[in-house]
Amino acid sequence: MKSHQVLDRTARFMCWAYVLGGMLAAHCGLNSARNGAPWYAAGLFAVSLLLGVAVAREYTAADERRAAAVRAERAARLRAQQDDAALGWADLERSCCLRAWESHGTEHDTHHCTRKDQAA
């Protein structure tokens, strides 16, 4: 869970950095346009638009990372449950001489078992 928080904090920091950089580029572009440098202004406005795209992409990437982490956690939980179930059946099969606990209606004492009933 801690890794999710780090990713969110990093994504948030990057978004703020992109927004502030885009605002600075737009401000510089506006000053360039006022001072008679239209090509510089156009370039700086293009940079500010690219930084806006970067903000949108960072949000999308953060959502994808969060979804991938949730999928990985679910898969790990499912594998752990399957492993526990498999171990449980294996323990039952190995625990006594009677295969699959077949006692044929008699009480089977596992502490005093002679293993005569074990299948060869």
Side-chain angles (χ1 to χ4, degrees), residues 102-113:
E102 295 173 350
S103 62
H104 301 290
T106 61
E107 192 67 34
H108 185 72
D109 186 11
T110 57
H111 299 294
H112 299 91
C113 183

Side-chain angles (χ1 to χ4, degrees), residues 33-87:
R34 286 183 187 159
N35 292 320
W39 292 108
Y40 287 117
L44 289 168
F45 283 126
V47 167
S48 65
L49 288 175
L50 285 175
L51 288 171
V53 169
V55 169
R57 185 170 177 172
E58 190 66 36
Y59 273 122
T60 304
D63 288 341
E64 289 173 1
R65 284 190 301 255
R66 199 173 306 115
V70 168
R71 282 192 303 270
E73 184 179 340
R74 284 181 185 161
R77 219 178 305 139
L78 179 63
R79 274 193 306 273
Q81 287 174 351
Q82 289 172 345
D83 289 346
D84 288 346
L87 286 176

